[in-house]
């Protein structure tokens, strides 16, 4: 197995563009790629452009009629069929939509193939993580569900146990739906509570179909949760489940929209806590999955201050050359940010909160604390189904 990581990248993924004023601004991808380059990380990984996912691959998750609707909307955006979630405010149709969505999906599928075949130990596609797309419809800025497609490809290649950990601020509903009945896939999502955020799913009681009871895990965090609570919840639920499941591959989704600056949600997590979870996911892959790790991007709408720094940390961790939080951001990148966006760029790779302090679950919990109530609800719903003590 190659010790080098792969960074999946094709410049054309920046064509995933819903138009002016849409929160999913593709500049976040371009700026992340440039920051990776500014730190020289592109020399520490193999940069690979995989081919777009073809129809047979897309059909591993998506219905044929939906793929046809995406193709039709891609050729004629004005005629998009809104019954498939296309041509809506969240998912406006645009020319070439099928092609670029297939390309992003292809990068995640290529990442999964490379890791499974031993061509790379870790693979990152920060353009991916489009976790809301359903088998038969677009949703939440997501056309094709690349995360689900990567997992489905792993199963097709012979994987018997794949764990998916989603720390985006929004529930990983599309991935959960795709594998709701499949005990080979463990989906774990930590997200803002559905009472206060799209897509209004991800309740702790959602634990998988009868044929896969305990294969879906949802930690619904109260609005306002900050670093200490977020890390406490992650470590109170994820490691124990991964240790029990012992996946052959760990797939993780690292939406940066948990950040306190993100305009679309209500958690209060710092860049430093996001980095801490990235490190934890890397370590879990090595401890329980022979190091096989596929890491994806996701949401994130503070497109200058947060997303590029968060995902550059992710690439650096996957490359085995973590960027220190106190590192100064190269001036050339900051100039590029201003030229592209007329915004002032951050100066360092930290929010000034490293190292992040948090309290472990094993020390006990407070039944009156809202964060601890969220953790308890998740543990009580799922752990007994998996033969674990809640």
């Amino acid at each position: 197995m190659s010790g080098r990581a792969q960074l999946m990248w094709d410049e054309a993924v920046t064509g995933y563009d819903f138009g002016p004023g849409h929160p999913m601004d593709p500049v976040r991808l371009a700026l992340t790629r440039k920051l990776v380059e500014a730190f020289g990380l592109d020399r520490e990984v193999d940069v690979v452009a995989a081919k777009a996912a073809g129809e047979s691959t897309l059909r591993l998750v998506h219905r044929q009629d939906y793929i046809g609707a995406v193709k039709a909307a891609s050729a004629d955006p004005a005629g998009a069929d809104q019954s498939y979630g296309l041509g809506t405010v969240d998912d406006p149709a645009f020319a070439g939509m099928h092609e670029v969505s297939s390309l992003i999906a292809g990068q995640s599928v290529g990442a999964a193939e490379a890791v499974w075949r031993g061509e790379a130990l870790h693979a990152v596609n920060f353009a991916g993580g489009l976790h809301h797309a359903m088998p038969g419809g677009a949703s939440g800025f997501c056309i094709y569900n690349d995360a689900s497609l990567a997992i489905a490809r792993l199963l097709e290649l012979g994987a018997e146990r794949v764990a998916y950990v989603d720390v985006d601020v929004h529930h990983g509903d599309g991935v959960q739906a795709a594998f709701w009945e499949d005990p080979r896939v463990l989906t774990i999502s930590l997200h803002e509570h559905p009472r206060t955020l799209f897509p209004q799913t991800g309740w702790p009681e959602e634990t998988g179909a009868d044929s896969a009871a305990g294969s879906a895990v949802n930690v619904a965090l109260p609005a306002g949760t900050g670093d200490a609570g977020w890390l406490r919840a992650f470590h109170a639920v994820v490691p124990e489940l991964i240790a029990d499941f012992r996946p052959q591959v760990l797939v993780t989704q690292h939406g940066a929209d948990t950040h306190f600056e993100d305009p679309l949600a209500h958690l209060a997590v710092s860049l430093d806590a996001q980095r801490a979870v990235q490190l934890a996911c890397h370590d879990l892959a090595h401890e329980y999955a022979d190091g096989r790790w596929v890491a994806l991007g996701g949401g994130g709408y503070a497109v200058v201050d947060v997303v590029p720094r968060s995902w550059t940390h992710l690439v650096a961790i996957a490359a085995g050359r973590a960027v220190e939080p106190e590192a100064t951001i190269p001036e050339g990148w900051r100039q590029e940010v201003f030229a592209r966006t007329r915004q002032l760029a951050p100066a360092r790779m930290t929010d000034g909160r490293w190292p992040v302090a948090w309290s472990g679950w094993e020390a006990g919990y407070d039944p009156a604390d809202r964060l601890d109530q969220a953790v308890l609800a998740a543990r009580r719903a799922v752990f007994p189904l998996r033969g674990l003590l809640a």
Side-chain angles (χ1 to χ4, degrees), residues 7-17 25-37 42 47-52 94 96 99-101 103-104 107 125-127 333 336 340:
L7 173 61
M8 313 306 294
W9 177 257
D10 185 319
E11 194 73 33
V13 299
T14 59
Y16 192 80
D17 188 352
D25 188 336
V27 75
R28 69 199 195 119
L29 303 179
L31 291 177
T32 301
R33 179 67 181 88
K34 289 291 186 182
L35 189 55
V36 165
E37 188 178 308
D42 53 332
V47 181
V48 176
K51 66 181 189 301
F94 60 91
E99 289 75 15
V100 70
S101 300
L103 184 63
I104 290 173
Q107 304 315 303
N125 176 26
F126 58 72
W333 184 80
E336 173 127 9
R340 282 179 180 248

Side-chain angles (χ1 to χ4, degrees), residues 40-124:
L41 296 169
D42 53 332
R43 298 190 296 273
E44 305 290 332
V45 297
D46 295 325
V47 181
V48 176
K51 66 181 189 301
E55 274 213 31
S56 62
T57 298
L58 293 174
R59 284 200 304 269
L60 292 174
V61 169
H62 294 290
R63 295 199 321 247
Q64 182 65 57
D65 60 313
Y66 173 58
I67 298 168
V70 175
K71 285 184 167 182
S74 187
D76 176 21
D81 187 342
Q82 292 198 5
S83 70
Y84 289 100
L86 302 166
T88 62
V89 172
D90 273 3
D91 296 280
F94 60 91
M97 180 171 66
H98 166 74
E99 289 75 15
V100 70
S101 300
S102 301
L103 184 63
I104 290 173
Q107 304 315 303
S108 292
V109 170
E113 291 172 344
V115 167
W116 182 254
R117 291 171 176 159
E119 295 161 10
L121 193 57
H122 311 323
V124 181

Side-chain angles (χ1 to χ4, degrees), residues 16 57-58 61-62 66 101 104-105 108-109 128-135 137 142-152 164 166 172-179 253 296:
Y16 192 80
T57 298
L58 293 174
V61 169
H62 294 290
Y66 173 58
S101 300
I104 290 173
S108 292
V109 170
L130 304 177
H131 59 168
H132 294 308
M134 292 291 175
C142 305
I143 307 301
Y144 293 137
N145 196 316
D146 64 285
S148 294
L149 289 164
I151 295 168
Y164 173 74
D166 188 320
D173 58 339
V175 185
Q176 176 179 287
F179 303 104
Q253 195 268 22
L296 308 173

Side-chain angles (χ1 to χ4, degrees), residues 87-382:
T88 62
V89 172
D90 273 3
D91 296 280
F94 60 91
M97 180 171 66
H98 166 74
E99 289 75 15
V100 70
S101 300
S102 301
L103 184 63
I104 290 173
Q107 304 315 303
S108 292
V109 170
E113 291 172 344
V115 167
W116 182 254
R117 291 171 176 159
E119 295 161 10
L121 193 57
H122 311 323
V124 181
N125 176 26
F126 58 72
L130 304 177
H131 59 168
H132 294 308
M134 292 291 175
S139 177
F141 314 161
C142 305
I143 307 301
Y144 293 137
N145 196 316
D146 64 285
S148 294
L149 289 164
I151 295 168
R153 180 66 175 136
L154 287 167
L155 298 176
E156 188 180 49
L157 290 171
E160 297 172 347
R161 295 180 312 282
V162 179
Y164 173 74
V165 177
D166 188 320
V167 296
D168 191 289
V169 78
H170 302 92
H171 177 225
D173 58 339
V175 185
Q176 176 179 287
F179 303 104
W180 184 251
E181 300 176 349
D182 195 334
R184 296 174 297 172
V185 181
L186 174 67
T187 65
I188 307 173
S189 178
L190 280 80
H191 47 265
E192 184 179 328
H193 201 285
R195 269 196 292 264
T196 53
L197 195 66
F198 174 91
Q200 281 80 52
T201 59
W203 298 80
E205 295 79 16
E206 297 170 31
T207 56
D210 289 344
S211 59
S215 68
V217 185
N218 289 290
V219 187
L221 302 169
T225 297
D227 290 357
W230 195 61
L231 290 172
R232 176 171 168 81
F234 179 93
H235 286 284
V237 173
V238 178
E240 195 170 344
L241 290 169
I242 298 296
D244 171 68
F245 190 65
R246 303 197 84 82
Q248 292 159 297
V249 185
L250 180 62
V251 180
T252 58
Q253 195 268 22
H254 297 271
D257 43 9
T258 50
H259 196 272
F260 56 78
E261 285 187 16
D262 197 273
L264 298 190
H266 320 98
L267 295 192
V269 173
S270 73
L271 183 74
D272 300 294
Q274 291 177 349
R275 181 180 184 271
V277 160
Q278 294 165 4
L279 286 165
C281 288
H282 169 270
D283 292 348
L284 287 170
H286 277 279
E287 193 165 355
Y288 300 110
D290 293 323
R292 296 189 194 96
W293 182 32
V294 176
L296 308 173
Y301 309 100
V303 299
V304 169
D305 283 350
V306 179
V307 175
R309 293 189 297 162
S310 187
W311 292 347
T312 296
H313 276 305
L314 181 65
V315 172
I317 289 163
R321 217 201 85 188
V323 172
E324 291 303 314
E326 292 294 328
T328 299
I329 293 176
E331 181 60 30
W333 184 80
R334 300 181 73 230
Q335 291 175 359
E336 173 127 9
V337 165
F338 189 76
R340 282 179 180 248
T341 68
R342 314 314 288 177
Q343 294 184 45
L344 295 177
R348 293 186 302 159
M349 291 293 285
T350 180
D351 285 332
R353 298 187 181 181
W354 189 267
V356 183
W358 54 277
S359 174
W361 191 252
E362 61 281 356
Y365 58 86
D366 178 359
D369 181 81
R370 291 174 66 220
L371 186 280
D372 284 4
Q373 289 170 2
V375 171
L376 271 175
R379 289 179 63 102
R380 286 174 174 165
V382 172

